[in-house]
Amino acid sequence: MSPPAAASPRLDRRKLRELVERTVAETGADLEDLVEQKAGSRRLLRVAVDREGGVTSDDLSEVSHALSVALDASDVMGEAPYVLEVTSPGVDRPLTLPRHWRRNVGRLVKVTLVQGGELTGRVTAADEDGTDLLIDGAAEPRRLAYADVAKAKVQVEFNRAGAEDELAGLEDSEDAESTGVDGDAADQDGVDWDGAEPGAESGGGAGTDES
């Protein structure tokens, strides 16, 4: 009787996040979202990245290539094939870190306060402790500490210069959602670390490259 086959390596989510964070940082970008979940017989890995000044399609391609190389050289994904998607966070992503506020200076945001109530104002400045919001009709910006913010999101302005480009970018992100998962929809037993949005695709997994 032949001995039982050795168990295949299992996905290590802690090591996966460490590898992704390190690899993204090496490209000069910031990891914003990371989602890993089953998609039929494969694993779907969605990574959202950003950087000062925003990311371009070339930036996303660079990150995607770096991640593909790093993942294929590692055993963190186990032996199951996977599909990798790399995208930028949408304009409507929540503002949860100081760098999110800094990168949205000049934009209109809607803030839900910890103590209750909402504010809508334009970000005029932001640092590590809080932001300055110019509320419509006010003469001077209001200082708002991040500790007082329950949640905040950028508001899309249809009459603001560049708004059409932002909307086009959101549509492109939706149109670029991966279809390379053997036609299977991702199931619900995956782990969503930050709520990444689907977007531009780069394939790979278990030593194969589907890009």
Side-chain angles (χ1 to χ4, degrees):
M1 181 175 180
S2 60
S8 60
R10 296 176 62 85
L11 183 146
D12 187 323
R13 294 188 175 95
R14 180 182 62 81
K15 289 184 177 179
L16 171 62
R17 185 174 185 89
E18 290 174 352
L19 182 146
V20 171
E21 285 183 332
R22 181 174 65 252
T23 303
V24 169
E26 288 171 354
T27 69
D30 297 312
L31 176 65
E32 295 293 345
D33 298 304
L34 176 59
V35 178
E36 176 275 319
Q37 60 188 157
K38 284 185 179 179
S41 60
R42 304 185 180 189
R43 309 299 301 186
L44 175 60
L45 184 62
R46 290 173 174 163
V47 179
V49 300
D50 202 1
R51 67 195 314 167
E52 293 297 334
V55 292
T56 66
S57 58
D58 288 342
D59 294 328
L60 296 180
S61 295
E62 178 186 358
V63 174
S64 177
H65 176 71
L67 283 174
S68 293
V69 171
L71 289 168
D72 287 345
S74 170
D75 63 355
V76 295
M77 293 296 292
E79 293 186 348
Y82 65 87
V83 172
L84 171 66
E85 290 180 2
V86 177
T87 185
S88 60
V91 68
D92 61 344
R93 59 102 178 268
L95 306 182
T96 59
L97 297 171
R99 67 169 181 259
H100 298 162
W101 292 89
R102 290 195 301 268
R103 291 171 184 175
N104 283 284
V105 169
R107 297 187 186 277
L108 194 68
V109 300
K110 184 175 183 179
V111 179
T112 301
L113 301 173
V114 171
Q115 70 269 27
E118 295 181 340
L119 292 174
T120 299
R122 195 169 303 281
V123 181
T124 61
D127 55 31
E128 291 301 309
D129 301 314
T131 183
D132 294 339
L133 288 184
L134 183 60
I135 311 299
D136 188 28
E140 297 292 336
R142 170 177 171 175
R143 183 64 177 177
L144 184 64
Y146 299 137
D148 295 328
V149 177
K151 63 180 180 179
K153 278 192 175 183
V154 172
Q155 303 298 290
V156 176
E157 299 176 80
F158 293 95
N159 60 347
R160 184 177 65 82
E164 292 183 1
D165 292 339
E166 291 174 359
L167 293 175
L170 287 176
E171 292 171 356
D172 291 342
S173 178
E174 293 172 355
D175 292 341
E177 184 171 357
S178 172
T179 56
V181 196
D182 293 341
D184 296 318
D187 61 24
Q188 298 301 313
D189 72 342
V191 175
D192 182 344
W193 280 293
D194 283 311
E197 300 176 358
E201 173 191 356
S202 170
T208 62
D209 187 352
E210 300 173 4
S211 55

